[in-house]
Amino acid sequence: MIGQLRSTVIDCPDPRALAGFYAELLGLPLVEENSDGDDWVVLGGSPGHQPRLAFQKALNLRAPAWPDPERPQQFHLDVTVDDIEAAEKAALALGARRLPGEGDGWRVYADPAGHPFCLCWD
């Protein structure tokens, strides 16, 4: 092993707003002492504690356009849920939107900044 995952970092135009979306979606706390105003916002724990998501301000971000290969997803999160219908309703209420694509045990959504993520169930 060369190192350990520190954070998954998501570029977005409004880090604090997108962090709020994922804090509600995943139940992760905002970590102000690891954040830097509205330009860098961290959810989760201190470095080395998982899961940890960071949101970084990116001006003029060209958001992904699932499933367009000209604007690929760049990254995505798989989120395990117990009840897909209840989870979808809650995610949409937070500002997610449904995207084309689903399979046996997963559906695709976009967060408020346009990044794809999947709600998954067994």
Side-chain angles (χ1 to χ4, degrees):
M1 175 176 69
I2 294 173
Q4 295 179 327
L5 178 65
R6 178 183 181 97
S7 302
T8 298
V9 180
I10 302 171
D11 287 351
C12 57
D14 187 345
R16 196 155 294 274
L18 194 57
F21 171 84
Y22 279 105
E24 290 293 324
L25 184 70
L26 302 173
L28 294 173
L30 178 74
V31 186
E32 277 299 346
E33 61 270 14
N34 293 147
S35 298
D36 184 13
D38 291 333
D39 292 338
W40 176 265
V41 180
V42 176
L43 298 179
S46 57
H49 293 83
Q50 302 301 326
R52 181 178 153 101
L53 289 174
F55 302 86
Q56 175 175 270
K57 187 165 202 134
L59 300 174
N60 304 315
L61 178 73
R62 191 167 177 229
W66 172 275
D68 181 358
E70 292 298 314
R71 291 175 49 199
Q73 61 183 330
Q74 302 166 12
F75 89 98
H76 81 274
L77 300 176
D78 287 341
V79 179
T80 301
V81 300
D82 292 326
D83 178 341
I84 183 57
E85 301 306 329
E88 177 176 276
K89 183 178 178 181
L92 294 174
L94 287 174
R97 61 186 164 85
R98 183 82 187 269
L99 296 176
E102 66 181 279
D104 186 22
W106 56 273
R107 292 182 189 164
V108 183
Y109 303 83
D111 68 24
H115 302 102
F117 68 95
C118 294
L119 295 180
C120 306
W121 66 94
D122 294 322

